[in-house]
Amino acid sequence: MFFDFCGIEYEYEPEGYDLGNGLVYLPDFLLHGVDGRSCGDLYVEVKGQMTDADAEKINRFYELGKDDPDTYGKSKTAILVVGNIPSGTDINEILWCIEGEAYANNGNWPNKYNFETIDGDYFAGYPGINHQGKFELFGDDSNYLCDMDRRATEKAYRAARQARFEHGQRPRLKGGY
């Protein structure tokens, strides 16, 4: 629902990958045309509860795309790990929720909402809508959050949080979104 509201083109579970040693992995989403990204595509994994096995697959998937040593941590299999829809009564609380997930000490597990499994940086990554109305993954390592349309992004998170899903049906929105 969040991706629909943000107007980003995506595929759900587009392709599985053989990670070697008997491990296979099926990322949840592949986003196309993410604004601000050089390749424009970004995998997204939704994890409510992370396990050691999940973490190993996600880390190996990220490493799978780092075949060029001159890419400085960037991966062709860049993947953003997200958790539950961030809570908060306004955009500031939503962003604080994301920040808390991004900088949690998770050991060898990839942090949710963090650039670590995208380009090797350890900055928070905030999915949202930019001032041009396009989906973007904003970082807090500079003034990037100033490029976020905070009102549109808050609406997208609220819509996603309020969506109700029934078995095999499209989401219904509560409150007329």
Side-chain angles (χ1 to χ4, degrees):
M1 190 72 216
F2 179 76
F3 297 140
D4 285 340
F5 200 90
C6 290
I8 185 74
E9 181 186 340
Y10 65 87
E11 295 175 65
Y12 176 69
E13 295 185 344
E15 179 181 358
Y17 292 86
D18 183 348
L19 302 175
N21 296 330
L23 281 180
V24 293
Y25 178 60
L26 180 62
D28 291 325
F29 294 94
L30 175 58
L31 308 183
H32 299 290
V34 175
D35 221 35
R37 291 200 36 80
S38 57
C39 70
D41 289 348
L42 178 66
Y43 289 94
V44 176
E45 179 67 31
V46 180
K47 278 290 166 219
Q49 296 291 331
M50 183 83 68
T51 67
D52 287 338
D54 294 332
E56 180 183 6
K57 287 179 183 183
I58 292 166
N59 287 333
R60 284 181 65 181
F61 182 71
Y62 165 72
E63 291 294 328
L64 182 73
K66 288 177 47 180
D67 54 2
D68 182 356
D70 293 329
T71 59
Y72 304 106
K74 292 187 179 179
S75 175
K76 293 176 187 167
T77 53
I79 184 164
L80 175 68
V81 181
V82 300
N84 296 325
I85 299 167
S87 60
T89 58
D90 62 24
I91 189 62
N92 290 325
E93 289 182 8
I94 292 168
L95 296 178
W96 290 330
C97 182
I98 291 171
E99 182 179 321
E101 292 277 348
Y103 294 115
N105 184 359
N106 294 322
N108 291 328
W109 290 4
N111 282 6
K112 297 172 185 170
Y113 299 103
N114 193 291
F115 274 93
E116 179 183 6
T117 51
I118 295 171
D119 60 13
D121 286 337
Y122 296 98
F123 298 108
Y126 305 88
I129 302 170
N130 64 25
H131 291 294
Q132 290 74 43
K134 296 183 179 181
F135 179 86
E136 187 168 334
L137 183 59
F138 301 92
D140 66 355
D141 54 336
S142 187
N143 290 328
Y144 298 129
L145 280 174
C146 69
D147 296 329
M148 178 186 282
D149 182 332
R150 295 166 74 87
R151 188 171 175 199
T153 299
E154 181 180 331
K155 283 184 176 181
Y157 281 110
R158 285 184 185 279
R161 202 174 316 121
Q162 292 178 356
R164 300 291 181 250
F165 297 86
E166 299 297 329
H167 301 286
Q169 296 179 344
R170 294 200 37 92
R172 293 179 305 184
L173 293 178
K174 180 180 167 186
Y177 282 98

